[in-house]
Amino acid sequence: MPCEVKLRFVVLYGSQKGQAESLAEGIAEVAEEHGLVAELSCLSHNEKYNLEKETAPVVFIVSTTGDGEPPDNALQFVKRIKQKTLSTDHYKHLCYALLALGDTNYANFCNCGKTIERRLQELGAKQFYATGYADDGVGLEVVVDPWIDGLWQAIKGALSKMASDKADFLKGEAEASPKETPDSSIPHIQLNLLRITDHQNCESIKASAETVSKFSTAASSSAPATQTAGSDLRPALPTGISVLASQSQGTASVSTSAPKTETGNAGVPQVSLASSLTCSLPPLSESPLNVPALPPAYLEVSLQEEDSVELIVGVLNKETLHAAPLSRAIQLTKGDSVKMAVLLELDMSAHPMVTYHPGDSFDVFCPNKATEVEDVLHRLGLHDQRNHQVHISLLKDTKKKGAQVPSYMSQNISLLYLLTWCLEIRSVPKKVFVRALVEHTGDGVQKRRLQELCSRQGNADYNQYVRDCSLSVLELLTAFPSCSPPLSLLIEHLPKLQPRPYSAASSCLRHPGKLHFVFNVVEFPACSGRPAGRRGLCTGWLFDLINPVLFFPEKDESSSSPALPKIHVSLRPNCSFRPPSDLSAPFIMVGPGTGVAPFIGFLQQREQERKEKPEAVFGETWLFFGCRHRDGDYLFREELEGFVSSGTLSQLKVCFSRDDQEEEEEEEEEATTSAARPRYVQHNLRLNSQHVTDILLKHNGYFYVCGDAKNMAKDVNNTLMEMIQAELQVDQLEAMKTLAGLREEKRYLQDIWG
Ligand code: FAD
């Protein structure tokens, strides 16, 4: 029997929050099961790969961050391949596939992936598998799972194609064969690949195909569609990343389900029970499951009792981090508002080197909640060792490809410090983490439910009970009491605790030595697995911190001045989201809710400039603001009206989504037919369509949007597109091009979050 030859391919990832990285790792880990060897590398480790000479297929997995930017560890790579000096055949030898991760709630969906793809093609590289564009807004797995399913055959096809090309070439037949012309090679590779691999069907693929088809009927009723319109994917193929859960075949009878919903002859349900985080219903509870492969462990963690454990802000970059005392905290909303908004003032006078501009943001470093850290310690059975020093090293015989001790884990930290400042213990456990937790769960029923949640068949349940309600790991562990993971597993799977950015809501010109920012206290409602609601991590922490010094203008309470706490911040400059440098350029700002924050900075700066340069010509300024109630959450009302009085703000357009609604409802009874009042910022934009489009299209003006990424930014974008369409009398495509042009010229700028 000939010895098995494993064929190599390369996996390169660019990842900001670890999603692309973990997908790349997952692919590399299961490659062997497909008779392949993956060479995994981060795009920033350019000493580990060499695309200029690469002859094996290359798989790129890249996310997009911010306003369409590459993740930090892909920046240099993108810069390199964008060099204009590279020739159009620079990557002629390269065969690639690309999975782009993005979020359609943000502008420039999958921009980094698209940029890489465009450049690869411009430089002559050939695509061997259709690009996947996965949308975190609806769930990455909708695209990722089938894309990975099809990848294995595609890689084998590409390898076969490359081998036969090489053989043809060696035989001197390359030129003679018309199918070998470069222009026809992309579709050719894709067509060939299915045919070749079908013939070559190796045993493991065959087995896995049978497994899936055998159970496909059972799974199909609960599994969501594996293809998204427009995602240009092949039909789902036998999976390589999924394996049949060994327990599943025998567990159709071991059920975590609520009693079955019986249907009588007439088909009328006799018992109707809902599923929950811990409890499933048929068909899922009776379905065989495809669960992800168990991720290999890769860290060895030990705790040692040591006297001097550094407990200062060790893992945070000390040079760019500034401890700033809070000097003021004002509640901007009235007591009964749905969302509480608070303005904080930081005293930056001890940090004169930190100069910020309107449009910049600040990262706020917050710790995990002390009670939750305690709970995790108890849950891990490590409470007594909380002050012990943590030693982390790579597991010697780990099977994980490219395993590394997370770079943000510094030495000399205590367990308490690690859980408080290093790991995002609130993060939503990914499916692969849930899969790993299965191995540490004693109770069979709980084990089965965890398998369901990480399985393909359990996608809908995972989305409903874990992802959509932002269930934290701790909440999951609480719901599954027999699950006792080791500390190492948490360190392997929990991401780094990230600072939270907030837009500066002040100008240094107006408030020298001070920095203002505004935040909404985020509230997570109770859900299955979370008996009581909780606040967002950073906003909850800030709220607790400032509660004793909070100033309520409406109650005319003066701030008692107990010792003011300090918080750690670092500057996040935003070089494009700035007021136009040409003072005569008109600009429009759209900032409902806390999205108004940077525009307060813009306007404070403009006011000072007007005082300092009375002879200068200043362009028009428009602000579109919106909130629920005029009397509840009209943030910065007095200051905004003051800007209008002073002429700093030419037009202030405000709308109230709920006041107007109530008034309209009353009016409806009177059967009035008056035109609908503007409820949201986009309605007001439309009412001022002529002015807005004139400013943008005739007067070289600027358009800024800040705030909620989920709905508002999209609605504003669509409205703007329609307005341009109507104004220029063009079709949608042309209007989109005009908008894209404005973006390119940095005259349509967004700073959005959510
Ligand atoms: P977490 O515990 O991290 O939970 C956040 C999760 O809650 C999100 O995943 C989301 O699904 C959900 N969520 C529900 N409501 C909101 C909401 N209103 N905002 C964010 N997430 C929400 N926030 C401000 O309030 N004011 C600002 O000026 C501001 N400026 C920002 C500037 C930038 C460049 C960016 C990227 C974000 C900005 N944010 C701002 C958002 C802020 O950084 C935090 O995400 C937000 O305060 C929630 O943090 P948290 O730790 O309390 O919530």
Side-chain angles (χ1 to χ4, degrees), residues 62-64 100-105 109-111 133-137 140:
V62 283
S63 62
T64 292
L101 311 185
D103 187 331
T104 44
N105 289 310
F109 173 62
C110 286
N111 193 44
Y133 300 99
D135 180 4
D136 208 11
L140 292 173

Side-chain angles (χ1 to χ4, degrees), residues 6 18 73 81 203 437 475 562 591 668 683 708:
K6 290 210 167 129
N73 55 20
I81 62 169
E203 283 310 304
L437 290 173
E475 285 162 342
E668 248 172 60
H683 300 154
D708 167 39

Side-chain angles (χ1 to χ4, degrees), residues 310 312-323 417 568-569:
E310 197 186 1
I312 54 165
V313 192
V315 285
L316 310 175
N317 184 339
K318 287 177 200 164
E319 273 167 32
T320 57
L321 199 71
H322 313 286
Y417 184 86
H568 288 93
V569 293

Side-chain angles (χ1 to χ4, degrees), residues 483-693:
C483 178
S484 298
L487 172 63
S488 57
L489 198 76
L490 265 61
I491 302 177
E492 282 169 358
H493 287 273
L494 291 178
K496 178 187 177 192
L497 178 59
Q498 298 278 358
R500 273 43 172 183
Y502 294 92
S503 310
S506 51
S507 156
C508 286
L509 299 180
R510 172 74 180 275
H511 297 282
K514 301 279 194 248
L515 163 69
H516 294 181
F517 66 94
V518 184
F519 66 95
N520 272 134
V521 182
V522 172
E523 303 276 354
F524 292 92
C527 63
S528 175
R530 183 187 304 131
R534 60 163 159 81
R535 297 204 169 105
L537 181 67
C538 186
T539 55
W541 173 72
L542 284 170
F543 181 77
D544 291 344
L545 208 62
I546 50 130
N547 210 6
V549 291
L550 195 58
F551 175 66
F552 301 92
E554 92 223 46
K555 292 187 192 155
D556 206 21
E557 281 176 14
S558 51
S559 164
S560 54
S561 42
L564 291 170
K566 282 186 179 177
I567 63 174
H568 288 93
V569 293
S570 99
L571 178 62
R572 267 172 70 120
N574 184 338
C575 297
S576 47
F577 201 84
R578 299 248 164 109
S581 48
D582 172 6
L583 297 178
S584 68
F587 63 93
I588 295 160
M589 299 162 280
V590 182
T594 47
V596 74
F599 304 132
I600 297 295
F602 279 36
L603 292 166
Q604 287 181 356
Q605 170 163 309
R606 175 54 65 98
E607 192 153 75
Q608 290 303 117
E609 286 166 343
R610 281 164 59 90
K611 281 183 193 154
E612 286 165 18
K613 300 175 187 164
E615 75 296 343
V617 177
F618 290 92
E620 267 185 82
T621 53
W622 287 61
L623 174 67
F624 290 85
F625 176 77
C627 60
R628 286 171 183 237
H629 301 287
R630 183 189 301 271
D631 295 327
D633 49 0
Y634 186 170
L635 312 182
F636 297 102
R637 178 177 182 168
E638 281 169 23
E639 191 161 0
L640 290 174
E641 288 172 353
F643 288 136
V644 175
S645 310
S646 68
T648 300
L649 184 57
S650 320
Q651 295 286 342
L652 173 62
K653 301 288 175 192
V654 187
C655 54
F656 308 99
S657 58
R658 302 300 153 96
D659 285 350
D660 290 346
Q661 198 174 349
E662 280 151 23
E663 280 168 31
E664 268 174 32
E665 275 160 14
E666 281 166 27
E667 283 168 13
E668 248 172 60
E669 284 176 22
E670 293 161 26
T672 53
T673 52
S674 63
R677 288 159 193 255
R679 250 177 223 174
Y680 298 108
V681 281
Q682 63 270 22
H683 300 154
N684 251 338
L685 276 170
R686 208 186 291 275
L687 286 179
N688 294 277
S689 181
Q690 189 66 56
H691 281 108
V692 172
T693 49

